[in-house]
Amino acid sequence: MMDLSERIKKLNPYVPGEQPQDRQYLKLNTNENPYPPSPQLKELLGNLDADQLRLYPDPLAIKLREKIGERYGLTKEQVFVSNGSDEALFLLLLRFLRQPEGKLLFPEVTYSFYPVYCDYYGIEYETIPLGGRPDDLCRGIRAKERVLRGCLCQPERADRHLFALKGHPLSLGELPAGTACAHRRGVYRLRRESAVSLLRDCQNLLLVRTFSKSMSLAGVRLGFVLAGKELIDALATVKDSFNSYPVSSLTQRIGEIALSDESYYRSINNKIISVRESFSSALGKLGWIVLPSKANFVFARKEGAPGKEIYLKLKERGILSATSTE
Amino acid sequence: MMDLSERIKKLNPYVPGEQPQDRQYLKLNTNENPYPPSPQLKELLGNLDADQLRLYPDPLAIKLREKIGERYGLTKEQVFVSNGSDEALFLLLLRFLRQPEGKLLFPEVTYSFYPVYCDYYGIEYETIPLGGRPDDLCRGIRAKERVLRGCLCQPERADRHLFALKGHPLSLGELPAGTACAHRRGVYRLRRESAVSLLRDCQNLLLVRTFSKSMSLAGVRLGFVLAGKELIDALATVKDSFNSYPVSSLTQRIGEIALSDESYYRSINNKIISVRESFSSALGKLGWIVLPSKANFVFARKEGAPGKEIYLKLKERGILSATSTE
């Protein structure tokens, strides 16, 4: 295999999302939350003892991990925090997904960094086409079950990634809510919104989340992983062996405060859901094929209208979309 | 060579600095600044539009890089910013220091992450003993000149690392101010406090700095690299190929504000220098060997008193030091 630094020299660098300066755009291409974060943050920042910034952050982020754990009915030992979910994904792929057996499986349209990381690490992967109907993805993944080696992400939730590690026999559940899951004792149907409830029984699951979308905190770069203690310990070991840059103390504090304002976030997220549903339904009436979404965006396409054309027409009208330009 | 993830499994994780809970210690072991950061930060945080945290940070950190550039008489193209200087060191070693020729050279007592990174990347290294007198280090490095492959750090400045890349013939200057430097046209004597002035002539230099120490901002995790545009571009490409997590928008803003309060920082740093000098001189009178320091700490030893003993005696008296416990 090519030397690491040789491979790096050959990589195509990530290109940050388009930020044209020629006019003001309605910017939908990075899925930022249209609503501000918790109003309590204003107060936090105003009252913060800035003098304490002279001290290093708690490298273990104990309070924040406890707070995240509380939210999900887990202990801090089941929580790992990272500089955005990207750092978590990077460490997770590095630690768990380089085993030579099998391929990594993910949907064709997904987080654009998956193929980049795979190329970087030399991980083989296979993509599952997104069909016109939501069940196609589910069926596609089930048909590939024999080659599955352990990764699935949730294509319809921008802020959630779900990884199932090989090592236990895997069987895939259906995807009624845009969520794939794995269960070591057999097929599991996920009926709830969250996959957190699976962690009790699935020792091979890792859930990756971010504060960027539903918590409206893309600016602070905070992500986390939920999993069993054993997997979290393994991730922490990789992080501590590999880099020693913990999450900033300010970011830790902001995360704690945001988590305590559940009612505010519930209200803005209800608004997002309501707009998404009426938007999806309106698009459907216009003859668009719209995949059911649990996120703050929708996947939609129209027969005879190539992605690039839609993208350009929207741009002419001052709307930046993430529509494929290929 | 062993597979990357295999090597990772064998690594000894970094152990965060000692944080005992049994009593209140005077904590000197992580070299935090005893003075608070700029009072202007209080104001910034109080007036900050927290709503903007819903948006992703500028991935290119243009304003902050311009501000850093201004401070050092450079353009933003000569500045790279990172999540603490650790991220910069990690990317820099990954990109530049894996060439098979020669060894990496650094002082025996230095940033403890150097050997960790070297082990991780499989980089050969050699350490130069710290002698009783400052000139010993300088002489040691000069004697090894033939094997030098490109890295030096400044052992007496906690917040500065200086890298000279091979590719141009290297000659090492003396270290009158605890600073080693390389010059492609021959020996260069560094008389000034800062190595920034070398960047004009040395295409093979990278300077790594942090906001943690002299800017009293260890909590926000902000570091940067100064170098020629070509090297900065190469670093940015590695970062963008490798991870996509930019510095938080709040951290970028805090860095900008801190940089604009030069007079405050000059005053606290003068206080640190004055205490350091009187402390060093008092230790010297007690028969200690004290290396000249340009940082907020001193290296000191005493004949017949092993590091571990000094460390334990200080701890008994409520002072945590970074004295070697070996």
Side-chain angles (χ1 to χ4, degrees):
Chain A
M1 184 175 290
M2 207 188 298
D3 176 85
L4 190 63
S5 52
E6 287 306 306
R7 251 184 295 150
I8 280 175
K9 284 182 204 163
K10 288 178 199 300
L11 283 175
N12 293 319
Y14 174 77
V15 178
E18 199 179 10
Q19 313 217 22
Q21 305 294 322
D22 57 334
R23 60 183 278 196
Q24 196 70 28
Y25 284 93
L26 183 58
K27 214 168 151 297
L28 303 180
N29 61 338
T30 47
N31 303 327
E32 288 151 336
N33 196 316
Y35 300 103
S38 164
Q40 293 184 16
L41 290 177
K42 181 81 195 152
E43 207 180 319
L44 163 77
L45 292 170
N47 295 330
L48 198 93
D49 183 1
D51 292 0
Q52 296 304 306
L53 295 177
R54 74 181 184 81
L55 303 173
Y56 279 100
D58 171 11
L60 303 175
I62 302 280
K63 279 188 198 159
L64 175 59
R65 285 163 59 216
E66 280 175 353
K67 199 92 189 168
I68 294 172
E70 267 170 39
R71 160 67 66 93
Y72 296 103
L74 303 169
T75 67
K76 69 175 189 301
E77 286 74 21
Q78 295 169 291
V79 180
F80 177 84
V81 299
S82 57
N83 289 287
S85 54
D86 277 331
E87 189 189 24
L89 292 172
F90 160 67
L91 293 169
L92 188 151
L93 268 79
L94 182 62
R95 175 63 183 82
F96 297 117
L97 299 174
R98 299 225 336 138
Q99 284 82 358
E101 347 118 31
K103 290 180 186 171
L104 196 61
L105 208 66
F106 47 80
E108 194 175 33
V109 180
T110 183
Y111 184 43
S112 59
F113 236 78
Y114 280 165
V116 174
Y117 280 136
C118 286
D119 288 344
Y120 173 70
Y121 287 131
I123 298 172
E124 270 192 289
Y125 63 90
E126 190 172 328
T127 58
I128 304 291
L130 279 181
R133 296 181 323 148
D135 280 356
D136 289 356
L137 174 65
C138 169
R139 266 200 294 274
I141 292 181
R142 300 185 73 176
K144 297 288 179 185
E145 200 173 335
R146 67 193 182 284
V147 298
L148 183 79
R149 65 175 296 249
C151 163
L152 288 171
C153 71
Q154 291 165 273
E156 288 146 28
R157 308 200 73 135
D159 58 346
R160 297 175 190 203
H161 306 260
L162 183 151
F163 293 86
L165 301 175
K166 200 143 177 168
H168 303 281
L170 290 180
S171 293
L172 293 174
E174 292 187 356
L175 295 162
T179 308
C181 70
H183 192 287
R184 66 192 168 117
R185 287 201 295 265
V187 173
Y188 197 103
R189 284 167 193 265
L190 187 71
R191 291 209 177 79
R192 301 197 211 171
E193 287 299 287
S194 164
V196 174
S197 59
L198 299 176
L199 289 175
R200 204 182 35 238
D201 295 320
C202 302
Q203 303 302 314
N204 57 336
L205 273 195
L206 292 131
L207 309 181
V208 181
R209 300 280 308 264
T210 178
F211 277 69
S212 296
K213 315 291 187 184
S214 63
M215 304 295 262
S216 202
L217 283 169
V220 309
R221 317 279 58 235
L222 181 59
F224 58 99
V225 182
L226 305 177
K229 179 180 182 310
E230 198 186 323
L231 296 181
I232 294 296
D233 284 350
L235 264 188
T237 299
V238 180
K239 180 182 170 69
D240 293 341
S241 304
F242 196 69
N243 69 50
S244 62
Y245 32 105
V247 173
S248 125
S249 50
L250 211 42
T251 299
Q252 291 186 31
R253 198 76 194 90
I254 287 172
E256 288 160 36
I257 297 294
L259 280 168
S260 67
D261 200 358
E262 224 176 321
S263 64
Y264 171 76
Y265 283 106
R266 196 176 306 118
S267 84
I268 63 169
N269 287 325
N270 282 340
K271 288 193 227 174
I272 290 171
I273 291 170
S274 147
V275 170
R276 183 188 68 211
E277 295 309 306
S278 57
F279 176 70
S280 298
S281 147
L283 270 184
K285 282 177 194 150
L286 293 170
W288 288 65
I289 298 154
V290 185
L291 289 185
S293 170
K294 295 284 167 193
N296 65 354
F297 64 90
V298 293
F299 279 136
R301 60 184 188 131
K302 193 166 183 180
E303 286 302 331
K308 188 167 184 175
E309 197 179 306
I310 297 168
Y311 166 81
L312 289 174
K313 285 205 170 161
L314 284 170
K315 194 170 172 184
E316 268 173 34
R317 292 171 199 202
I319 300 169
L320 278 188
S321 70
T323 308
S324 164
T325 56
E326 303 306 319
Chain B
M1 182 175 290
M2 205 188 299
D3 176 85
L4 189 63
S5 53
E6 286 307 307
R7 252 184 294 149
I8 281 176
K9 285 182 204 162
K10 288 178 198 301
L11 283 174
N12 293 319
Y14 174 78
V15 178
E18 200 180 8
Q19 313 218 22
Q21 306 294 323
D22 57 334
R23 59 184 278 196
Q24 196 70 29
Y25 284 93
L26 183 57
K27 213 169 153 296
L28 302 180
N29 61 337
T30 47
N31 303 326
E32 287 151 337
N33 197 317
Y35 300 103
S38 164
Q40 293 184 17
L41 290 178
K42 181 81 194 153
E43 209 178 318
L44 163 76
L45 292 170
N47 295 330
L48 197 94
D49 183 1
D51 292 359
Q52 296 303 306
L53 295 177
R54 74 180 183 83
L55 303 173
Y56 279 100
D58 171 11
L60 303 174
I62 302 281
K63 279 189 197 157
L64 175 59
R65 284 164 59 216
E66 279 174 354
K67 199 92 189 169
I68 295 172
E70 266 170 39
R71 160 67 66 93
Y72 295 103
L74 303 169
T75 67
K76 69 176 189 300
E77 286 75 21
Q78 296 169 291
V79 180
F80 176 85
V81 299
S82 56
N83 289 289
S85 54
D86 277 330
E87 189 189 23
L89 291 172
F90 160 68
L91 293 169
L92 189 152
L93 269 79
L94 182 61
R95 174 63 183 80
F96 298 117
L97 298 175
R98 300 225 337 137
Q99 285 81 0
E101 347 119 30
K103 290 180 186 171
L104 195 61
L105 207 66
F106 47 80
E108 194 176 33
V109 180
T110 183
Y111 184 43
S112 59
F113 236 80
Y114 281 164
V116 174
Y117 280 136
C118 286
D119 288 343
Y120 173 70
Y121 288 131
I123 297 172
E124 271 192 288
Y125 64 91
E126 190 172 328
T127 59
I128 305 291
L130 280 181
R133 296 179 324 147
D135 280 357
D136 289 356
L137 174 64
C138 169
R139 267 200 294 274
I141 291 182
R142 299 186 74 177
K144 297 288 179 186
E145 200 173 334
R146 67 193 182 284
V147 298
L148 185 78
R149 67 175 295 249
C151 162
L152 287 172
C153 71
Q154 291 165 275
E156 287 146 28
R157 309 200 72 135
D159 58 347
R160 297 174 191 203
H161 306 261
L162 183 151
F163 293 86
L165 301 175
K166 199 143 178 170
H168 304 279
L170 290 180
S171 293
L172 293 174
E174 292 187 356
L175 295 161
T179 307
C181 70
H183 192 287
R184 66 192 167 120
R185 288 200 296 265
V187 173
Y188 196 104
R189 283 167 194 265
L190 186 72
R191 291 208 177 80
R192 301 195 212 173
E193 288 298 286
S194 164
V196 175
S197 59
L198 298 177
L199 289 176
R200 203 181 37 237
D201 294 320
C202 301
Q203 303 302 314
N204 57 335
L205 273 194
L206 293 130
L207 310 181
V208 180
R209 300 279 308 266
T210 178
F211 277 69
S212 296
K213 313 292 187 183
S214 62
M215 304 296 261
S216 202
L217 283 168
V220 309
R221 315 280 57 235
L222 181 59
F224 58 99
V225 182
L226 305 176
K229 179 180 181 313
E230 199 186 323
L231 296 181
I232 294 296
D233 284 350
L235 264 188
T237 299
V238 181
K239 181 184 169 67
D240 293 340
S241 304
F242 196 68
N243 70 50
S244 62
Y245 33 106
V247 173
S248 124
S249 50
L250 211 43
T251 299
Q252 291 186 31
R253 197 78 194 89
I254 288 172
E256 289 160 36
I257 296 294
L259 280 167
S260 67
D261 200 358
E262 223 175 323
S263 64
Y264 170 76
Y265 283 106
R266 196 176 306 118
S267 84
I268 63 169
N269 286 325
N270 282 340
K271 287 193 226 173
I272 289 171
I273 291 170
S274 147
V275 170
R276 182 187 69 211
E277 295 309 306
S278 58
F279 176 70
S280 299
S281 146
L283 271 184
K285 283 177 192 148
L286 293 170
W288 289 65
I289 299 154
V290 186
L291 289 184
S293 170
K294 296 284 167 193
N296 65 354
F297 64 89
V298 294
F299 279 136
R301 58 184 190 132
K302 193 166 183 182
E303 286 302 331
K308 188 168 184 177
E309 196 179 307
I310 297 168
Y311 165 82
L312 289 174
K313 285 204 172 163
L314 284 170
K315 194 171 173 184
E316 270 172 33
R317 292 171 200 201
I319 300 169
L320 277 188
S321 70
T323 308
S324 164
T325 55
E326 303 304 319

